[in-house]
Amino acid sequence: MVKKDLAYKTKSTESSNDYLEQFIDLFKGSTVSISDIKPSEWVQQNVVMGKPFPGPFSYNRTPYCREIIDRFANDNPMKWIAIKKGAQIGLSAGVLIPCLLWMIKNDPSNSYFLVGSPDLIEKATEKLDIGIDNAGLRPYIKPQVMRRRAQKSGDTNTKKEFAGGYIHIGSANNHKDIRDVSLKYGLFDDFESVKSKSKESGSTRKLLEQRFAAYEDSHKICYCSTPELDENSNIKEAYLLGDQRKYFIPCPCCGVMIDWHWTITKGDITGGVTWKLDEKGKVISDTVGYVCQECGGFFDDKNKNELLNLGVWQPTCEPSKPGYYSYHISSLYAPIGMYGWEHYVNDWIEANPVGQPRKE
């Protein structure tokens, strides 16, 4: 009888210790902090980047990201935002992932981070995990405790739980995955790859937005993607609903604020990217540059970083509803260290072979 009681007490003590350990772990990661610091300021103070630009994060490299991420602040009137962007321009590293990190620390809420193709979920999870570690936020994520008891973990591959909310990572093409949830934040990357509608659910965009009804006055919904062909473009449709902002930069030749185009005609001036070919049909590097559509002056992209930091976003139309902002920025604005204008000139030449049909 004594042995039986002793065994019971030992088992009971071990169980109590397990639960105490679990409680301590959860308590360490349960600090909820609501802050009024701007997301861009918090990111620069807390986020450390790895390759290819190691060190503390700075919006001086991609200054066009600063206004966009600050739209996610609680005191900003933005409810919907659409970003039609060029490829490899730093929006994921400068807006999407940092926004989620800022939210974990400063406005913990129920959030979805969805990509178009299911094949991209693993990559999205990896980026978020790296960001969590580099920003020192791992203690805020509920730890994987009591696994031997087959209980749910707060930190799984596709869900990060923390005090006050969670981030679920998935695909917007999985309509079953976006039912019966109530969200404040929704970041939908690679929106161009999302099927626009289905027979069962109707419009995917409408289905997504319905998940935010409980946060009608405070939700933050973001659509982001590189566009493909116009006739079937999801991101173009979302962009046109907003105020269609473009990034204007002072021309180094005349000082007039201009937004960069591949080609644009204004009056008798044809502006945009320009270049010359040698006798073998190859691009002459020193001739690659931009002709200002206002003055006809020529400049290259060697001082692009300085020019980018002089830029400002300007709306070009009225939005379809209050609180809807949209942004368009092409790969011509990609920062130093990423592809320059000569790279895209060669891409254009490859897509437009002389005497042959355009490779759409």
Side-chain angles (χ1 to χ4, degrees):
M1 186 65 177
V2 174
K3 290 184 178 181
K4 184 176 180 181
D5 288 343
L6 181 60
Y8 172 78
K9 289 180 181 179
T10 302
K11 182 177 180 180
S12 177
T13 302
E14 289 176 351
S15 178
S16 298
N17 289 337
D18 284 341
Y19 281 109
L20 179 61
E21 181 181 351
Q22 179 187 18
F23 176 79
I24 292 173
D25 286 339
L26 292 177
F27 179 78
K28 288 179 179 179
S30 66
T31 304
V32 177
S33 173
I34 305 299
S35 171
D36 59 359
I37 186 173
K38 285 187 176 182
S40 63
E41 295 174 357
W42 183 89
V43 170
Q44 291 191 131
Q45 293 172 14
N46 293 276
V47 174
V48 177
M49 294 290 292
K51 295 180 179 180
F53 307 115
F57 187 93
S58 172
Y59 281 107
N60 288 333
R61 181 176 295 276
T62 54
Y64 43 79
C65 290
R66 186 182 284 110
E67 177 180 307
I68 300 176
I69 192 170
D70 283 341
R71 293 288 177 199
F72 290 89
N74 280 309
D75 60 355
N76 192 281
M78 185 274 282
K79 293 184 180 179
W80 304 268
I81 192 169
I83 309 167
K84 187 171 74 164
K85 68 180 188 67
Q88 298 298 311
I89 198 169
L91 265 294
S92 179
V95 175
L96 301 184
I97 298 299
C99 172
L100 293 170
L101 303 179
W102 170 85
M103 181 272 297
I104 291 172
K105 178 65 169 64
N106 299 281
D107 186 25
S109 310
N110 293 351
S111 313
Y112 264 31
F113 179 32
L114 303 185
V115 293
S117 170
D119 296 339
L120 298 175
I121 295 175
E122 183 177 351
K123 189 67 175 178
T125 303
E126 180 184 351
K127 288 181 179 179
L128 181 57
D129 271 325
I130 291 173
I132 288 171
D133 290 331
N134 288 348
L137 295 175
R138 186 60 61 181
Y140 288 82
I141 307 301
K142 291 183 180 179
Q144 295 184 7
V145 295
M146 303 296 286
R147 184 171 293 279
R148 61 183 175 276
R149 297 180 180 274
Q151 293 189 4
K152 290 184 178 180
S153 166
D155 182 7
T156 66
N157 284 340
T158 59
K159 191 172 186 180
K160 309 298 174 185
E161 291 187 64
F162 39 86
Y166 63 82
I167 298 172
H168 171 74
I169 308 160
S171 169
N173 278 321
N174 183 359
H175 286 190
K176 293 181 180 179
D177 202 30
I178 51 180
R179 293 184 182 278
D180 300 323
V181 291
S182 182
L183 306 169
K184 180 177 179 181
Y185 288 90
L187 279 67
F188 308 119
D189 195 14
D190 191 32
F191 192 58
E192 198 76 332
S193 298
V194 176
K195 54 187 178 183
S196 59
K197 59 183 178 181
S198 70
K199 293 181 180 179
E200 298 80 12
S201 306
S203 168
T204 299
R205 184 167 57 82
K206 293 295 184 182
L207 176 64
L208 291 170
E209 293 186 0
Q210 192 59 35
R211 306 281 71 82
F212 298 85
Y215 293 90
E216 180 183 4
D217 296 328
S218 61
H219 67 62
K220 304 285 187 179
I221 302 173
C222 174
Y223 303 107
C224 182
S225 191
T226 299
E228 295 179 358
L229 299 182
D230 268 1
E231 56 266 28
N232 299 312
S233 177
N234 290 329
I235 193 61
K236 179 183 178 182
E237 178 187 34
Y239 168 76
L240 292 177
L241 292 172
D243 59 358
Q244 300 175 40
R245 293 175 177 245
K246 296 181 179 179
Y247 200 65
F248 286 80
I249 291 175
C251 168
C253 306
C254 66
V256 175
M257 301 297 285
I258 60 174
D259 61 320
W260 294 346
H261 296 256
W262 187 256
T263 183
I264 179 174
T265 299
K266 191 166 185 180
D268 58 354
I269 298 176
T270 298
V273 179
T274 183
W275 66 92
K276 293 180 180 178
L277 305 177
D278 63 18
E279 61 275 8
K280 296 181 180 180
K282 292 187 177 181
V283 177
I284 302 173
S285 296
D286 292 343
T287 68
V288 176
Y290 192 94
V291 173
C292 174
Q293 58 263 38
E294 293 289 341
C295 69
F298 172 90
F299 59 93
D300 58 32
D301 61 351
K302 292 182 174 62
N303 296 318
K304 189 193 287 187
N305 189 66
E306 178 183 345
L307 293 176
L308 290 176
N309 277 281
L310 296 173
V312 294
W313 285 105
Q314 295 181 10
T316 62
C317 74
E318 290 292 325
S320 61
K321 50 189 174 183
Y324 202 132
Y325 297 81
S326 61
Y327 294 82
H328 177 216
I329 189 163
S330 77
S331 294
L332 294 179
Y333 292 85
I336 298 293
M338 296 184 180
Y339 287 139
W341 291 347
E342 184 175 354
H343 171 86
Y344 293 109
V345 168
N346 284 309
D347 275 357
W348 189 93
I349 291 172
E350 183 180 350
N352 295 268
V354 178
Q356 300 179 42
R358 174 183 175 89
K359 297 178 181 177
E360 198 65 39

